[in-house]
């Protein structure tokens, strides 16, 4: 009999966790020919999330959990869950019920009967997101796709069921700076997408602020693209062309107009433009070097405080 492992990274999810467990367990019990387990990963929660998970583990033998020593982030939580899971198929889900448990039977059919290695949920719309957040998200995925040349589209999230080949490929990549959406795309394999409507959280508040989303987006671009480094050369060419046009314009203007721009104005403009571009690319170089610095330290992706 096949086994499905449901991996649930949790950070302060005390309000939604009981509802998530009840709904998901009910759906899993209805899947014929498969047993299941829950792998909850407590990512340093400061509320009652861990107590709820422990109570679930005492009442249900299908529940196991690991507790991080501190907050390591969702990327580490997903990796830890995949590492601890024992199922033939693994599915990653959020505890806020924005990933509909009703799709699990269809996902299982795709990977168990239809020959797909992976089946992901394709989110349609952005219910509960502000217009600004939705705009930035769509823009990021367009930029990311053009820079990395990988399939990372808006709506392709972490909600997906994978067979062991896919899971092992993900686990083989032990990089410290993890961007799971990029890793899912990088490993490839045959993937089926099932559309579902975006819904608001069942309870609680999102942990993603605009600042954290920008940071996450920047992490994804740095992890899978060297284009920002190459952009320095392009910027240099554009600055040179722009400077030549500006000089020619002012030369012509000095001949035909009495109020020509002075040499001092031209020098200041060029100095400011060049200095700003230098600072920008020094920052980009520093960002890449910092990532390499952390990778070379070989620090663990997460530290486990407790298992159950």
């Amino acid at each position: 009999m096949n086994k499905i492992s449901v991996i649930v990274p949790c950070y302060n999810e005390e309000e939604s966790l009981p509802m998530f467990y009840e709904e998901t367990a009910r759906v899993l019990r209805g899947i014929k020919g498969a047993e299941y387990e829950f792998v909850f990963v407590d990512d340093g929660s400061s509320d009652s999330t861990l107590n709820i998970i422990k109570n679930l583990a005492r009442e249900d033998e299908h529940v196991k959990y690991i507790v991080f020593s501190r907050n390591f982030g969702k990327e580490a939580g997903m990796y830890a869950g995949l590492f601890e899971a024992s199922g033939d198929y693994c599915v990653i889900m959020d505890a806020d019920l924005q990933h509909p448990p009703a799709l699990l039977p269809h996902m299982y059919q795709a990977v168990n009967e239809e020959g797909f290695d992976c089946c992901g949920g394709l989110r349609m719309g952005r219910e509960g997101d502000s217009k600004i957040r939705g705009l930035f998200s769509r823009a990021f995925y367009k930029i990311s796709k053009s820079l990395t040349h990988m399939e990372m589209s808006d709506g392709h999230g972490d909600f997906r069921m994978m067979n062991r080949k896919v899971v092992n490929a993900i686990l083989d990549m032990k990089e410290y700076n993890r961007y799971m959406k990029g890793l899912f795309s990088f490993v490839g394999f045959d993937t089926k997408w099932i559309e579902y409507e975006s819904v608001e959280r069942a309870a609680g508040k999102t942990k993603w602020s605009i600042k954290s989303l920008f940071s996450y987006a920047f992490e994804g671009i740095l992890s899978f693209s060297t284009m920002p480094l190459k952009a320095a050369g392009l910027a240099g060419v554009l600055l040179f062309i722009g400077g030549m046009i500006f000089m020619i314009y002012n030369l012509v203007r000095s001949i035909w107009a009495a109020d020509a721009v002075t040499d001092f104005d031209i020098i200041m403009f060029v100095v400011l433009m060049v200095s700003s571009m230098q600072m920008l690319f020094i920052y980009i170089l520093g960002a890449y070097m910092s990532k390499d610095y952390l990778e070379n330290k070989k620090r663990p992706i997460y530290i486990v405080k407790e298992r159950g």
Side-chain angles (χ1 to χ4, degrees):
M1 181 178 288
N2 291 324
K3 185 176 184 180
I4 302 172
S5 294
V6 180
I7 296 151
V8 192
C10 300
Y11 178 65
N12 293 343
E13 296 288 358
E14 62 179 2
E15 295 183 56
S16 62
L17 197 55
M19 291 182 284
F20 166 83
Y21 166 76
E22 291 293 337
E23 178 64 18
T24 306
R26 181 186 65 78
V27 172
L28 289 169
R29 287 192 293 266
I31 299 178
K32 296 181 180 179
E35 56 181 344
Y36 66 91
E37 69 173 359
F38 285 95
V39 182
F40 289 102
V41 182
D42 182 65
D43 188 22
S45 297
S46 57
D47 61 2
S48 300
T49 295
L50 181 56
N51 291 332
I52 293 172
I53 293 173
K54 287 183 175 181
N55 288 335
L56 293 175
R58 281 192 289 267
E59 297 170 359
D60 187 351
E61 61 180 5
H62 296 97
V63 175
K64 66 180 183 180
Y65 62 89
I66 60 174
V67 184
F68 285 171
S69 60
R70 63 170 176 82
N71 179 254
F72 282 88
K74 185 181 178 182
E75 306 295 300
M78 289 188 284
Y79 180 86
L82 291 173
F83 185 81
E84 298 287 334
S86 60
D88 303 287
Y89 303 102
C90 297
V91 57
I92 298 173
M93 300 184 71
D94 290 345
D96 55 13
L97 284 176
Q98 287 189 308
H99 295 161
L103 289 188
L104 293 177
H106 304 288
M107 289 182 165
Y108 179 68
Q109 180 180 347
V111 295
N112 185 53
E113 299 177 13
E114 298 177 12
F116 290 96
D117 299 300
C118 177
C119 183
L122 177 60
R123 184 175 67 169
M124 308 301 293
R126 288 191 161 271
E127 185 69 27
D129 286 354
S130 66
K131 291 183 178 180
I132 295 178
R133 181 170 172 175
L135 178 64
F136 279 132
S137 179
R138 288 189 292 272
F140 159 69
Y141 281 109
K142 287 182 179 179
I143 295 171
S144 180
K145 188 174 181 179
S146 64
L147 292 180
T148 63
H149 306 293
M150 290 188 181
E151 280 297 325
M152 289 187 287
S153 302
D154 191 19
H156 291 185
D158 307 316
F159 181 33
R160 60 187 71 206
M161 185 178 291
M162 303 162 278
N163 63 20
R164 266 290 146 189
K165 290 186 293 184
V166 181
V167 172
N168 290 338
I170 294 293
L171 293 176
D172 283 342
M173 291 181 286
K174 305 183 188 302
E175 56 207 64
Y176 182 81
N177 299 285
R178 305 188 69 79
Y179 182 69
M180 290 295 282
K181 289 183 177 67
L183 295 180
F184 289 139
S185 177
F186 178 82
V187 298
F189 294 100
D190 296 326
T191 302
K192 178 179 180 179
W193 295 100
I194 301 177
E195 295 181 358
Y196 70 95
E197 291 298 324
S198 175
V199 296
E200 294 188 18
R201 291 175 57 92
K205 296 181 179 179
T206 180
K207 313 304 184 298
W208 293 95
S209 64
I210 294 295
K211 180 181 177 181
S212 62
L213 286 172
F214 267 112
S215 177
Y216 186 62
F218 191 56
E219 175 77 29
I221 292 174
L222 290 182
S223 296
F224 285 91
S225 177
T226 58
M227 187 57 68
L229 288 172
K230 299 175 182 178
L234 176 61
V237 172
L238 293 176
L239 277 174
F240 176 78
I241 294 173
M244 291 298 294
I245 293 173
F246 187 77
M247 289 177 64
I248 294 171
Y249 166 77
N250 280 281
L251 180 61
V252 173
R253 185 177 176 184
S254 66
I255 296 173
W256 295 102
D259 58 341
V261 177
T262 65
D263 291 341
F264 178 77
D265 292 331
I266 297 174
I267 292 172
M268 287 303 298
F269 172 78
V270 173
V271 168
L272 288 173
M273 287 295 295
V274 173
S275 297
S276 63
M277 293 303 296
Q278 284 178 329
M279 295 304 296
L280 172 62
F281 287 109
I282 287 173
Y283 172 77
I284 292 174
L285 286 169
Y288 275 101
M289 289 179 66
S290 68
K291 299 299 179 186
D292 187 56
Y293 170 72
L294 291 173
E295 291 292 342
N296 288 329
K297 283 180 173 291
K298 304 295 183 184
R299 288 176 176 170
I301 298 171
Y302 60 91
I303 298 172
V304 176
K305 177 182 177 182
E306 182 182 352
R307 281 185 172 87

